[in-house]
Amino acid sequence: MSTSRNQNQESPGPVRSQKIGLLLSGGAARGAFQAGVVSAFARAEIQFEAIVGTSVGAVNGGALLVGRGSELVSLWRENLRQETWFDARLMLRGRSPFCISEAMRVMVDRYGDVPKILDHPTELLISTTQWATRRNVLFSTHDGRDWTEEERILQFLASLTIPWICTEKVVIRGERYCDGSLSENMPFTPLVDRGCDHIVVVDPSPLLRSWRHRVLLPLKSFFGSLPFSTTRVAAGLIHALTQAPPVFPDDLQVTWLTPPPKIGARALDFRSLDVIDEGLEAGILAGEQWVASLRGGERSMENQQEIRSGE
């Protein structure tokens, strides 16, 4: 499903002179839809000014920059079948049964190419949450800092690490970080700051912000007011489920790509491969449709320029 909202422009799609930013929000297993969209962008060789990725969005964005975007669908299918994402036996040892951190670490180690990401002309901003302050922290691949390759990998893993659900604690230079969606799932301001006048939002979990927003919002305020770290984490998790879509400036062209309602993958259910496949296919279709609108907009602008030059 694709929607474009722009109050000040009536053109059918973005034109060549625009700077396009890509905003990839979190969604865990629902990120399959997003992977399908990104693979369509990669095959069409769409160039973005900058990319912001939260949680699974950071992984999908990283795959695009290392040149494996077109393979993203097959990588998702291959790794969902190979890796262990859930192990009930871990509960007997007092641990979370979800092995998301471990499985994602294998994927990042196997397919990640940190030097290639750093050398790519498109900047990737990885959205994380600082544990102590619950503040949203963005790690940039173009920040020029002397991060080691391991620290760069940890930045990806931090964006994926959900407290209580993921067992791994990610610490980078003395500070603990966790999933970016606990603070801000769609931080679009950095894209505007980098001159983007058209932002493509690929949001795999729009249904989470419906009735849950009304039911859970009072609980977020209650838990957030308590001084204990565990209750503050609970507030963060509820915040991740209840965040309303961001309000964009009126002069900014925004395109939303979201899955159809029938794609109902549970956020942490990586084992329902048929549902994952539906998400991947729906994402490919949505991405291809947007690419077609982009190409149509470019052709329309070229025709207008030819007409003006002929006059």
Side-chain angles (χ1 to χ4, degrees):
M1 182 183 299
S2 170
T3 59
S4 181
R5 301 189 304 200
N6 183 8
Q7 299 176 0
N8 301 324
Q9 187 171 341
E10 297 180 356
S11 64
V15 295
R16 182 172 297 167
S17 61
Q18 286 184 311
K19 292 183 177 181
I20 306 175
L22 181 60
L23 183 55
L24 303 174
S25 66
R30 292 188 179 92
F33 169 82
Q34 191 179 84
V37 172
V38 171
S39 70
F41 290 171
R43 288 196 301 274
E45 299 182 344
I46 303 298
Q47 300 298 316
F48 295 98
E49 187 71 17
I51 301 172
V52 173
T54 300
S55 195
V56 72
V59 175
N60 288 332
L64 182 61
L65 297 192
V66 298
R68 307 203 68 161
S70 59
E71 306 171 48
L72 206 47
V73 169
S74 60
L75 293 179
W76 263 71
R77 287 171 172 156
E78 174 186 335
N79 283 281
L80 289 179
R81 287 168 171 81
Q82 287 184 355
E83 306 303 331
T84 300
W85 298 86
F86 184 89
D87 187 351
R89 294 172 297 178
L90 293 175
M91 291 189 290
L92 299 176
R93 290 182 270 168
R95 296 179 56 191
S96 167
F98 295 99
C99 308
I100 299 174
S101 294
E102 294 83 351
M104 282 296 182
R105 177 64 193 238
V106 172
M107 289 180 65
V108 171
D109 287 343
R110 184 180 299 163
Y111 302 116
D113 188 336
V114 171
K116 198 168 185 177
I117 293 176
L118 299 179
D119 290 339
H120 200 283
T122 298
E123 181 182 12
L124 174 64
L125 297 113
I126 303 167
S127 174
T128 69
T129 300
Q130 191 176 52
W131 177 265
T133 63
R134 288 192 300 170
R135 182 173 60 93
N136 186 256
V137 175
L138 292 164
F139 291 101
S140 168
T141 57
H142 287 185
D143 59 12
R145 296 185 59 182
D146 61 340
W147 301 107
T148 66
E149 184 166 330
E150 174 64 15
E151 287 173 331
R152 293 285 187 184
I153 291 174
L154 288 176
Q155 292 165 10
F156 280 98
L157 294 179
S159 189
L160 293 157
T161 301
I162 306 171
W164 292 346
I165 294 173
C166 299
T167 56
E168 183 173 342
K169 295 181 180 180
V170 180
V171 178
I172 304 173
R173 298 195 179 180
E175 290 285 350
R176 183 179 173 186
Y177 297 90
C178 56
D179 196 297
S181 65
L182 272 66
S183 53
E184 193 169 357
N185 199 21
M186 300 183 194
F188 71 90
T189 304
L191 297 176
V192 177
D193 293 342
R194 284 154 177 78
C196 297
D197 46 21
H198 182 188
I199 295 179
V200 179
V201 184
V202 187
D203 179 15
S205 303
L207 297 181
L208 288 179
R209 290 174 291 277
S210 53
W211 64 270
R212 297 187 186 187
H213 183 79
R214 297 189 296 272
V215 172
L216 295 175
L217 201 57
L219 291 177
K220 180 176 71 172
S221 299
F222 170 72
F223 283 120
S225 66
L226 297 177
F228 308 108
S229 61
T230 52
T231 55
R232 290 169 68 86
V233 171
L237 292 174
I238 295 172
H239 177 72
L241 295 174
T242 58
Q243 288 182 67
V247 178
F248 294 96
D250 291 338
D251 59 349
L252 183 67
Q253 184 176 353
V254 181
T255 299
W256 289 81
L257 300 179
T258 60
K262 68 176 183 177
I263 305 298
R266 296 181 180 89
L268 298 176
D269 188 1
F270 288 89
R271 298 177 299 168
S272 299
L273 300 182
D274 291 342
V275 178
I276 294 293
D277 280 342
E278 288 181 5
L280 291 167
E281 294 300 329
I284 293 171
L285 179 61
E288 289 176 344
Q289 289 175 342
W290 181 79
V291 169
S293 73
L294 174 69
R295 302 304 190 208
E298 289 178 347
R299 286 194 295 271
S300 176
M301 178 59 67
E302 289 173 354
N303 291 338
Q304 292 175 21
Q305 291 173 344
E306 289 175 3
I307 291 173
R308 285 196 293 268
S309 63
E311 297 173 345

